[in-house]
């Protein structure tokens, strides 16, 4: 008997950690209890993107979106919606600041403005079932390539599409393939870069978790184009769910003869092996990554020669990012012109961004290139929580830079981001508001890169340490006249003198925050003031005695026992005991706790 | 199944497409059975069962079956709405197993509205 309803429950990493497998079990149990097991199918999908609302589930064909589900909700949900046909309003999504829930997934702002290519199958297939992928035209592109196209045709198609690398650099993919295909040496190798080291970025993990076959098929097409028969997926071992889904996918594809020898009976051979990395940021850099696969110390090396000429074991190697690969099958099926019609002059197609920080709708979004920041942050992201003012967005992780609020109308593409001192990077977006300190943000990223520098180049290793020391000094209130200029000079020198992208880009977060928020740095240095009230050494908490009712709430909550006072008498904070955690400020019902900053 | 050739791939694709049609948001025909408490007590479950049975083996007809709550016309339950792509929805009332079978075969499969069982054609709201 055919099912009348499919329940698409998200089992991406975020929803799994919120209990989506328990919910699945409970759903199946309740469905059986009502005798509906032949009518209603529970389908586990990969990440559906709206991670902040997890666990999420979409009911098809009704297109109803449920969120923040718990096992306790399930008996009611099954009885009301699936037995009686009455969708349960309280489990639907209500946009921030509004009162009525939006039942239909296609009418929720977060999903509405997205355009899916790389994530085209998210939420629509079970990533552990190859047939589900095939039912969405999966492996049709490789069938077309093997039966009707030459290597040159494929390369031409990808070149015409305008696809550029999604791993950060934005290098034209078709051109990269062409260079590798023209290399005379043999054998050739294909690598998928799934190292994903940017803090806060998880688009590659999500693509693999929700649609692993799209990456495999992309690699097959690339292999055919350049003439490779062996491929590797380099993935960090911290991604167990993605690795397991990829293993299942490779096994299923091999069983169907979509990997191995004589693929689809077309005389082409290709195999894929998974290589697990230990999660060092520098291992995402292509030459380090190749060293890591070879089993030698994962340090970068000078380029040229580029991997396309001399890569893995000295052989021509084509390396692309997960998201880049996932785009490829769709370009072959829909055509280069279709892909090139989306986006801006030089940036075609879409980009997946992880939207995190001070934003209402945290999650993963895929948007057409050229969409404005405003659309991403307000229409999709639902704006800033608590009615706070938007300050800027840090794009591109530790290699990127901050785009200030004055650039909200900026169309997001490779070129425009570089123009404002940021970069696409792998697509991490950290949204900041008035309560974010820009010196602190810069310091956070520099701490990361300083930690992750492989140490080969002095400029990167010692330069990042020197910059971090200055930044720490500034946020501790010990900044000196001339520190800003010193940071700028060091930054430029590190960029010039480092061998790989890690060193060449690590000063960006500092340089861009100085460029756009110099006054904030100056306030820290000259007035010993942190305008956002973040840098602890520069702030103090005080209780305003006129407002304090002596309710004792703050003194009870203070973890340092720094607040004293009699009941119904104004309380005081002992500054020598205070650890500046801000709990008193948060709990006070009378706004009697003040934060002060600056020379007192 | 062993190693596939291009034809096998296409066959799987067609088969899965039909089975998963209801995820795609587009079907040739959509049947909604109203399953409020009133509908259920008037026999909506039976109507649903008949439809599920009728649909068996007819995957190629691109039909999706869904439920909704009470349609607000409890005295005429069981009710169902049939919506063919590009056509206004048709509401059927006072259904029995025989009636829904006829509606399925005539209207859903062949596009002929069974006017004698129809309550209204088109939506009560302005579109
Ligand atoms: C320090 C550093 C880290 C990198 N990390 C990644 C990464 O995690 N994933 C990735 O795809 N590319 C990363 N890259 C970029 C790769 O070197 C390479 O350009 C990319 O994998 C090429 O694929 P694409 O053309 O499809 O973007 C990193 C580069 C640098 C310098």
């Amino acid at each position: 008997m055919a099912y009348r309803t499919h329940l698409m429950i998200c089992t991406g990493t975020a929803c799994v950690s919120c209990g989506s497998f328990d919910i699945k079990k409970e759903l199946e149990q309740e469905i059986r209890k009502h005798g509906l097991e032949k009518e209603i199918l529970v389908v586990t999908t990969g990440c559906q993107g709206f991670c902040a609302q997890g666990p999420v589930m979409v009911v098809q064909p009704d297109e109803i979106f449920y969120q923040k589900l718990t096992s306790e909700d399930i008996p009611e949900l099954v009885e009301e919606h699936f037995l009686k046909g009455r969708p349960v309003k309280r489990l639907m999504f209500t946009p921030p600041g509004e009162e009525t829930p939006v039942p239909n997934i296609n009418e929720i702002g977060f999903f509405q403005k997205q355009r899916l290519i790389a994530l085209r199958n998210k939420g629509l297939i079970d990533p552990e079932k190859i047939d589900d992928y095939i039912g969405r035209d999966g492996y049709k592109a490789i069938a077309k390539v093997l039966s009707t196209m030459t290597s040159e045709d494929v390369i031409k198609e990808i070149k015409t599409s305008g696809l550029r690398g999604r791993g950060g650099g934005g290098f034209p993919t078709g051109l990269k393939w062409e260079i590798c295909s023209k290399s005379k040496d043999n054998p050739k190798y294909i690598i998928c870069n799934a190292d994903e080291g940017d803090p806060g970025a998880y688009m590659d993990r999500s693509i693999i978790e929700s649609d692993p076959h799209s990456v495999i098929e992309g690699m097959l097409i690339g292999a055919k184009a350049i003439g490779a028969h062996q491929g590797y997926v380099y993935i960090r071992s911290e991604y167990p769910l993605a690795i397991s889904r990829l293993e299942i996918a490779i096994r299923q594809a091999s069983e169907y003869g979509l990997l191995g020898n004589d693929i689809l009976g077309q005389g082409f051979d290709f195999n894929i092996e998974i290589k697990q990395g230990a999660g060092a940021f520098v291992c995402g850099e292509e030459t380090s990554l190749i060293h890591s696969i070879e089993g030698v110390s994962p340090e970068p090396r000078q380029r040229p020669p580029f991997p396309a000429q001399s890569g893995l074991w000295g052989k021509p190697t084509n390396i692309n990012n997960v998201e880049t690969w996932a785009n490829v099958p769709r370009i072959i099926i829909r055509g280069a012109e279709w892909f090139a019609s989306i986006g801006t002059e030089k940036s075609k197609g879409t980009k997946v961004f992880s939207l995190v920080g001070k934003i209402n709708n945290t999650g993963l979004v895929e948007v057409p290139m050229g969409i404005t920041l405003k659309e991403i942050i307000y229409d999709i992201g639902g704006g800033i929580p608590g009615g706070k003012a938007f300050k800027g967005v840090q794009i591109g992780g530790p290699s990127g830079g901050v785009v200030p609020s004055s650039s909200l109308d900026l169309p997001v593409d490779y070129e425009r981001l570089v123009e404002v001192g940021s970069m696409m990077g792998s697509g991490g977006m950290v949204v900041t508001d008035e309560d974010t300190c820009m010196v602190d943000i810069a310091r956070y990223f520099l701490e990361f890169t300083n930690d992750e520098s492989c140490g080969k180049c002095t400029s990167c290793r010692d330069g990042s340490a020197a910059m971090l020391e200055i930044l720490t000094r500034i946020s501790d209130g010990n900044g000196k006249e001339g520190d800003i200029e010193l940071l700028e000079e060091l930054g430029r020198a590190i960029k010039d003198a480092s061998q790989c992208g890690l060193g060449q880009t690590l000063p960006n977060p500092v340089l861009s925050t100085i460029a756009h928020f110099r006054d904030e740095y100056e306030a820290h240095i000259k007035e010993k003031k942190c305008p956002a009230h973040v840098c602890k050494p520069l702030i103090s908490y005080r209780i305003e005695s006129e407002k304090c009712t002596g309710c004792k709430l703050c003194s009870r909550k203070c973890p340092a026992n720094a607040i004293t006072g009699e009941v119904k008498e104004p309380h005081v904070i002992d500054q020598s005991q205070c650890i500046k955690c801000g709990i008193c400020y948060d709990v006070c019902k009378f706004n009697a706790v003040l934060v002060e900053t600056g020379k007192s | 199944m062993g190693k596939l050739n291009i034809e096998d791939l296409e066959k799987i694709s067609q088969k899965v497409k039909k089975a998963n049609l209801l995820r795609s948001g587009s079907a040739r025909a959509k049947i909604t059975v109203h399953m409020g408490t009133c509908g259920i007590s008037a026999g909506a479950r039976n109507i649903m069962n008949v439809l599920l049975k009728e649909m068996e083996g007819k995957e190629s007809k691109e039909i999706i079956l869904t439920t909704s709550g009470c349609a607000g016309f409890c005295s005429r339950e069981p009710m169902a709405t049939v919506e063919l792509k590009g056509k206004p929805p048709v509401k059927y009332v006072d259904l029995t197993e025989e009636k829904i079978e006829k509606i399925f075969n005539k209207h859903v499969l062949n596009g002929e509205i069974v006017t004698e069982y129809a309550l209204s054609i088109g939506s009560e709201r302005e579109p």
Side-chain angles (χ1 to χ4, degrees):
Chain A
M1 189 153 72
Y3 293 101
R4 63 176 165 93
T5 298
H6 288 188
L7 305 180
M8 315 300 289
I9 180 154
C10 181
T11 55
T13 290
C15 284
V16 167
S17 65
C18 296
S20 57
F21 279 119
D22 294 339
I23 290 167
K24 176 184 183 240
K25 232 192 319 178
E26 186 74 20
L27 272 170
E28 286 172 336
Q29 208 170 315
E30 288 296 313
I31 285 170
R32 264 198 309 276
K33 205 161 105 188
H34 292 287
L36 298 171
E37 70 273 13
K38 293 220 171 84
E39 300 170 25
I40 297 173
L41 179 70
V42 183
V43 183
T44 47
T45 76
C47 178
Q48 302 187 5
F50 209 175
C51 310
Q53 305 307 121
V56 305
M57 179 172 88
V58 179
V59 180
Q60 297 286 18
D62 313 15
E63 297 178 337
I64 287 176
F65 179 78
Y66 286 120
Q67 43 112 50
K68 297 199 168 160
L69 295 173
T70 64
S71 299
E72 291 76 58
D73 296 326
I74 302 306
E76 178 192 348
L77 182 63
V78 172
E79 176 166 345
E80 283 298 304
H81 190 167
F82 309 136
L83 185 67
K84 296 186 180 164
R86 292 192 290 229
V88 180
K89 280 210 175 65
R90 74 174 178 88
L91 299 173
M92 295 174 187
F93 174 70
T94 304
E98 289 176 28
E99 268 148 37
T100 354
V102 185
N104 190 301
I105 181 165
N106 297 318
E107 282 160 21
I108 295 173
F110 180 79
F111 295 104
Q112 242 170 5
K113 280 213 167 173
Q114 296 198 44
R115 176 124 194 211
L116 306 182
I117 301 176
L119 290 167
R120 60 193 172 276
N121 291 329
K122 75 159 186 190
L124 293 174
I125 63 167
D126 182 335
E128 301 188 5
K129 295 207 168 91
I130 190 171
D131 283 6
D132 268 20
Y133 179 70
I134 293 174
R136 297 270 306 158
D137 289 338
Y139 291 108
K140 213 177 194 160
I142 186 62
K144 179 177 171 187
V145 164
L146 292 180
S147 59
T148 66
M149 294 172 87
T150 63
S151 294
E152 291 74 32
D153 293 340
V154 177
I155 290 171
K156 187 160 160 253
E157 196 71 7
I158 301 298
K159 275 172 93 172
T160 313
S161 76
L163 176 66
R164 294 167 64 176
R166 302 294 193 242
F171 191 83
T173 305
L175 183 59
K176 198 189 258 190
W177 291 13
E178 186 172 54
I179 298 168
C180 195
S181 80
K182 286 192 173 149
S183 281
K184 290 278 178 293
D185 205 0
N186 266 308
K188 292 174 182 169
Y189 296 105
I190 290 275
I191 296 175
C192 170
N193 189 343
D195 188 57
E196 196 161 53
D198 284 12
Y202 61 106
M203 52 288 288
D204 294 345
R205 187 190 77 203
S206 288
I207 290 172
I208 295 176
E209 282 176 4
S210 62
D211 197 9
H213 290 284
S214 68
V215 179
I216 296 176
E217 190 180 5
M219 290 175 74
L220 269 162
I221 295 165
K224 166 68 186 173
I226 72 154
H229 302 291
Q230 179 63 46
Y232 295 93
V233 178
Y234 187 89
I235 183 165
R236 53 179 51 225
S237 53
E238 287 108 318
Y239 283 180
L241 188 60
I243 293 171
S244 130
R245 294 212 169 128
L246 195 59
E247 283 168 348
I248 293 170
I250 290 174
R251 195 172 65 234
Q252 292 179 344
S254 305
E255 280 164 12
Y256 269 173
L258 293 161
L259 286 173
N261 294 339
D262 193 19
I263 290 165
L264 288 169
Q266 300 292 311
F268 179 70
D269 309 339
F270 187 64
N271 286 293
I272 293 179
E273 207 178 300
I274 298 174
K275 290 281 178 187
Q276 292 190 31
F281 181 51
V282 78
C283 285
E285 193 280 332
E286 55 190 29
T287 61
S288 309
L289 186 153
I290 287 169
H291 286 150
S292 175
I293 296 182
E294 290 171 347
V296 300
S297 171
E299 282 178 359
R301 64 156 173 78
Q302 193 72 46
R303 298 176 310 176
F306 288 93
Q309 288 122 16
S310 173
L312 195 57
W313 294 298
K315 299 295 178 186
T317 302
N318 183 80
I319 175 163
N320 280 117
N321 164 265
V322 171
E323 190 183 330
T324 315
W325 288 121
N327 273 291
V328 169
R330 222 46 209 156
I331 295 174
I332 299 294
I333 292 290
R334 304 275 318 250
E337 279 74 28
W338 162 78
F339 191 81
S341 72
I342 305 162
T344 61
E345 196 197 334
K346 289 183 179 155
S347 304
K348 302 300 188 186
T350 57
K351 177 77 193 88
V352 184
F353 290 100
S354 61
L355 206 52
V356 299
K358 305 287 184 64
I359 184 111
N360 276 313
N361 301 340
T362 304
L364 208 64
V365 303
E366 181 171 358
V367 290
M369 297 275 190
I371 190 172
T372 64
L373 270 179
K374 197 193 226 145
E375 288 171 282
I376 297 181
I377 290 166
Y378 288 93
D379 299 343
I380 296 175
I384 317 298
K388 298 267 168 140
F390 169 66
K391 189 165 181 178
V393 53
Q394 153 78 24
I395 306 178
S399 309
V402 71
V403 181
S405 58
S406 57
S407 298
L408 259 181
D409 290 321
L410 188 84
V412 176
D413 72 8
Y414 290 100
E415 280 70 32
R416 307 301 277 275
L417 286 176
V418 171
E419 277 167 27
V420 297
S422 182
M423 66 183 271
M424 186 79 79
S426 61
M429 283 196 175
V430 185
V431 181
T432 65
D433 70 1
E434 56 191 277
D435 293 338
T436 315
C437 168
M438 287 299 158
V439 180
D440 188 60
I441 279 265
R443 198 173 59 118
Y444 165 78
F445 282 112
L446 219 76
E447 243 166 26
F448 175 81
T449 35
N450 174 245
D451 212 35
E452 293 287 345
S453 170
C454 78
K456 185 179 182 189
C457 306
T458 317
S459 54
C460 174
R461 180 189 66 227
D462 292 350
S464 61
M467 282 183 93
L468 181 59
E469 194 184 309
I470 300 168
L471 285 170
T472 309
R473 180 159 88 212
I474 295 174
S475 35
D476 281 351
N478 301 320
K480 295 195 293 250
E481 199 73 50
D483 273 352
I484 300 179
E485 292 72 21
L486 190 54
L487 281 172
E488 288 175 318
E489 198 186 332
L490 266 169
R492 280 192 298 268
I494 295 170
K495 273 170 166 272
D496 284 346
S498 302
Q499 204 171 62
C500 89
L502 202 164
Q504 285 160 9
T505 59
L506 76 82
N508 288 353
V510 183
L511 298 179
S512 79
T513 45
I514 292 179
H516 297 297
F517 299 94
R518 199 180 185 96
D519 52 339
E520 227 172 289
Y521 278 82
E522 281 169 351
H524 281 73
I525 296 169
K526 295 190 185 137
E527 299 160 53
K528 308 297 171 207
K529 191 169 156 182
C530 176
H533 300 165
V534 171
C535 297
K536 283 188 183 170
L538 299 183
I539 59 170
S540 57
Y541 289 89
R542 188 170 66 79
I543 295 173
E544 211 173 351
S545 48
E546 302 81 64
K547 284 192 182 164
C548 178
T549 62
C551 73
K552 293 211 72 82
L553 186 60
C554 62
S555 68
R556 269 200 312 264
K557 296 276 179 188
C558 177
N561 292 325
I563 306 176
T564 49
E566 295 299 316
V567 185
K568 299 205 171 131
E569 296 291 326
H571 280 46
V572 283
I573 301 175
D574 177 352
Q575 296 299 331
S576 66
Q577 298 289 316
C578 176
I579 55 167
K580 298 175 188 173
C581 63
I583 290 176
C584 53
Y585 180 85
D586 293 337
V587 299
C588 181
K589 295 196 177 97
F590 310 98
N591 289 326
V593 181
L594 302 177
V595 203
E596 295 177 325
T597 182
K599 284 189 203 124
S600 39
Chain B
M1 192 176 289
K3 311 266 182 223
L4 309 182
N5 60 31
I6 293 178
E7 265 166 40
D8 304 328
L9 188 71
E10 186 55 30
K11 270 186 216 143
I12 297 178
S13 178
Q14 290 308 326
K15 196 179 115 218
V16 177
K17 255 199 190 100
K18 276 162 204 151
N20 290 349
L21 180 79
L22 53 82
R23 298 181 196 170
S24 70
S26 73
R28 192 188 55 82
K30 178 171 163 187
I31 314 170
T32 308
V33 181
H34 302 279
M35 296 277 280
T37 308
C38 45
I40 293 174
S41 58
R45 263 318 309 176
N46 272 346
I47 301 301
M48 181 75 129
N49 290 344
V50 171
L51 285 168
L52 284 166
K53 213 179 293 150
E54 288 288 338
M55 279 171 66
E56 208 157 321
K58 304 212 176 65
E59 284 79 9
S60 62
K61 302 292 180 188
E62 298 197 17
I63 306 157
I64 56 180
L65 175 61
T66 164
T67 58
S68 82
C70 171
F73 205 20
C74 310
S75 59
R76 309 294 299 272
E77 299 274 6
M79 289 174 58
T81 304
V82 173
E83 203 172 344
L84 299 188
K85 202 179 219 166
K87 302 265 169 65
V90 180
K91 237 182 208 101
Y92 291 103
V93 291
D94 299 327
L95 292 174
T96 60
E97 293 183 19
E98 293 73 40
K99 284 182 186 174
I100 195 71
E101 253 170 52
K102 189 162 166 195
I103 291 164
F104 184 84
N105 285 300
K106 279 200 145 176
H107 188 180
V108 179
L109 294 183
N110 288 322
E112 299 162 33
I113 298 174
V114 189
T115 35
E116 67 258 45
Y117 308 146
L119 170 75
S120 65
I121 301 177
S123 168
E124 48 265 54
R125 255 170 293 145
E126 284 290 311

